[in-house]
Amino acid sequence: MSEKYQEGSQECLSEISAPIFPKYESVDRLVAAVYLLVGYLFIYVFSSYEFERNLALFTVCYGVVVLLCLYGKGIRPAKESWFWLAVMLAIGIPYAFWSVLYILQVLALIAVAAYWTLCACGRLLEKDRTSQWVFFDGWNALVTVPFCNFGCQLRVLFHSSVREEAQNNHSGRISGIALGIVLALPLLVIILPLLSSADAGFQHLAGNLAFYITEHLLTIFLRMLFAIPVSLYLFGLIFGGIYGRNIDRIRVENLVKMGKGIKMIPDTAVCTALTVICLVYCLFIGLQGQYLFSAFAGIRPEGLTYAEYARRGFFELCQIGLWNLVFVSLAGGFAKTDLKEHGGLRFLITLLSVLTLLLIVTAVSKMGMYIDVYGLTVLRILPLIFMLWMGVVFVCIIIRQKKEFPMVRICVMAGAVMFCLICVCPIEQWADLYNDWAFARGLIV
């Protein structure tokens, strides 16, 4: 009796823990087959000679496939998803013509494509819009949803009930034949060269065929081998987005509860830490005021070249800006009292943000004076754009202390727009044109 009870309880637990597989339609089987091709194209892009052009074409192809899948299922993409679709295309298409970010641009393209897919399905944590939970939405899009639905493509392609088998016997035979041909390819690669070497007549008859299979079909087979896990990953993402399978592993309610749980540091300790940091920055600015702010007047400190003056401390100030962003986030997240109810904490966060903006402006002014003398380069433009985005973030933090608005959403979308401008604009060519123009007029050396 006890053994039967244990077996029954184990079956109940397995049913509870296992996610219910949705009732898919016949069109899903077509989508699963199409995603096999999409996975192959992805591998082909990264193994081809014309990688830049093929990556741009694949970006467009991926966007079209996802939209066709959604409209084919009667799903209208969320409004904000069109913004992220434009971001994805703006990152991927210009790669065929120019790029100054290289690997970073490819990684950003992959992340945005996954995020856009989930956003288009309306499966973000706040339905169809970017929110303060954007990091968790990105984790869902890149990791949770595709990997938790990793085997769905195989199940859609090959699993069917008895009734479906009776109705789709013909299509099952066709898919079986296609699978058999695919399985025969590696065997032919091994057998044909050996048979050609064993017999001169067969070598004359099948020599060209053996060469073609060895050289070309082996490459195709290897690509197909790597394309299968990619296809499973991509289909798992779109399938989970459409049917909502394994989409709720991260819940807003749990995140809010966790956020309240980490508010454990006394307000006095947080305010003291922020006060000490602000005093250190005030002391630094007071002692180095003439050195820091001389760039506003176009004056270079004695004993330093323009290059030394611009570079000295520039990247350190960039790091300080990032650290201050971390400090502000930790102060608001770990303080026991909510920011809305603690005026002193809001004042210290505002003061720290103002001091950070002051340091950012001094760093930008130093780099601007360097550019006025020596002209533009990519390595001088990119840090300026990053500092501009940091300025937007800290301005939003200051405003947030007085007024509620979706700060994270604005900052993320502003960063996406700036990143797109870097990808779309031929920065290197424009910098060369400006340098030639400025040098001809004696503006730079």
Side-chain angles (χ1 to χ4, degrees):
M1 185 70 178
S2 60
E3 293 179 357
K4 292 182 178 180
Y5 176 77
Q6 291 178 356
E7 291 177 357
S9 61
Q10 288 177 358
E11 291 178 358
C12 292
L13 288 174
S14 63
E15 289 178 359
I16 294 173
S17 60
I20 299 175
F21 198 82
K23 294 182 179 180
Y24 55 88
E25 303 172 358
S26 58
V27 68
D28 294 317
R29 192 160 293 172
L30 175 62
V31 173
V34 170
Y35 263 82
L36 287 175
L37 178 60
V38 173
Y40 179 83
L41 291 176
F42 182 88
I43 297 299
Y44 178 82
V45 167
F46 284 87
S47 60
S48 60
Y49 292 106
E50 298 181 350
F51 169 73
E52 293 82 3
R53 185 201 65 179
N54 292 334
L55 182 65
L57 293 175
F58 179 81
T59 302
V60 177
C61 175
Y62 180 80
V64 171
V65 169
V66 172
L67 290 176
L68 289 177
C69 291
L70 294 179
Y71 281 110
K73 298 291 294 182
I75 299 174
R76 294 187 62 182
K79 291 182 179 179
E80 189 176 299
S81 68
W82 296 106
F83 169 81
W84 291 107
L85 174 61
V87 170
M88 184 184 74
L89 297 177
I91 295 175
I93 294 177
Y95 204 85
F97 306 99
W98 54 71
S99 176
V100 296
L101 298 172
Y102 305 107
I103 297 177
L104 180 60
Q105 189 168 341
V106 176
L107 296 177
L109 176 62
I110 294 173
V112 170
Y115 185 83
W116 166 70
T117 304
L118 212 59
C119 181
C121 296
R123 299 295 181 176
L124 300 182
L125 291 177
E126 289 196 2
K127 296 299 181 183
D128 56 353
R129 58 186 290 136
T130 302
S131 64
Q132 59 182 327
W133 315 114
V134 61
F135 172 80
F136 299 98
D137 283 323
W139 180 262
N140 259 344
L142 285 169
V143 179
T144 304
V145 177
F147 282 113
C148 289
N149 298 310
F150 199 72
C152 290
Q153 187 179 26
L154 296 177
R155 187 165 183 174
V156 171
L157 281 173
F158 302 111
H159 179 75
S160 59
S161 62
V162 176
R163 184 178 299 177
E164 287 177 337
E165 288 180 359
Q167 293 176 352
N168 302 322
N169 190 28
H170 182 66
S171 61
R173 290 177 181 176
I174 295 176
S175 61
I177 293 173
L179 181 61
I181 294 175
V182 171
L183 294 176
L185 289 179
L187 302 178
L188 291 177
V189 170
I190 299 172
I191 294 172
L192 284 178
L194 295 176
L195 292 176
S196 299
S197 301
D199 184 75
F202 187 82
Q203 182 181 13
H204 178 73
L205 178 65
N208 293 332
L209 178 61
F211 174 79
Y212 181 83
I213 290 178
T214 304
E215 295 296 325
H216 298 280
L217 293 187
L218 178 60
T219 303
I220 295 174
F221 174 76
L222 290 176
R223 284 173 176 164
M224 290 176 63
L225 195 63
F226 287 101
I228 291 175
V230 174
S231 177
L232 294 173
Y233 175 90
L234 295 176
F235 183 80
L237 176 60
I238 189 66
F239 189 81
I242 290 175
Y243 286 102
R245 189 173 191 268
N246 290 312
I247 210 73
D248 55 351
R249 296 295 181 96
I250 302 176
R251 297 175 181 266
V252 175
E253 298 82 5
N254 296 337
L255 293 176
V256 172
K257 188 181 296 183
M258 183 179 65
K260 293 180 180 179
I262 63 175
K263 287 182 173 295
M264 58 183 70
I265 301 180
D267 300 338
T268 305
V270 176
C271 291
T272 301
L274 290 178
T275 301
V276 171
I277 294 173
C278 290
L279 288 176
V280 170
Y281 285 149
C282 290
L283 180 63
F284 174 78
I285 292 173
L287 294 176
Q288 298 292 326
Q290 184 177 359
Y291 170 80
L292 291 173
F293 302 119
S294 60
F296 288 104
I299 301 173
R300 172 172 52 88
E302 295 181 2
L304 293 176
T305 64
Y306 285 104
E308 291 173 341
Y309 180 54
R311 294 172 183 170
R312 188 173 183 178
F314 178 84
F315 294 103
E316 286 78 5
L317 292 176
C318 292
Q319 295 178 37
I320 287 174
L322 283 175
W323 278 112
N324 287 347
L325 182 60
V326 174
F327 296 155
V328 168
S329 302
L330 294 178
F334 285 89
K336 280 189 175 181
T337 306
D338 193 84
L339 286 177
K340 300 177 184 178
E341 305 172 1
H342 200 300
L345 187 56
R346 292 203 308 272
F347 170 76
L348 289 172
I349 289 177
T350 302
L351 178 59
L352 181 59
S353 301
V354 171
L355 293 173
T356 306
L357 282 174
L358 189 60
L359 294 174
I360 289 174
V361 170
T362 58
V364 171
S365 64
K366 290 166 63 177
M367 183 60 72
M369 191 170 68
Y370 185 37
I371 291 173
D372 285 339
V373 177
Y374 293 106
L376 293 170
T377 63
V378 173
L379 295 179
R380 296 168 194 167
I381 295 174
L382 294 182
L384 287 177
I385 296 176
F386 174 74
M387 296 296 273
L388 176 62
W389 178 75
M390 289 287 293
V392 171
V393 172
F394 280 100
V395 168
C396 289
I397 291 175
I398 293 172
I399 299 174
R400 180 71 180 276
Q401 307 312 309
K402 294 291 185 180
K403 183 180 179 181
E404 283 288 331
F405 67 98
M407 184 192 74
V408 176
R409 182 169 182 263
I410 291 175
C411 293
V412 170
M413 297 179 80
V417 171
M418 292 181 185
F419 192 89
C420 288
L421 290 176
I422 296 174
C423 298
V424 171
C425 300
I427 294 178
E428 193 169 4
Q429 290 86 335
W430 286 1
D432 292 338
L433 289 175
Y434 169 79
N435 292 337
D436 293 340
W437 175 84
F439 182 78
R441 287 159 178 77
L443 300 177
I444 61 175
V445 295

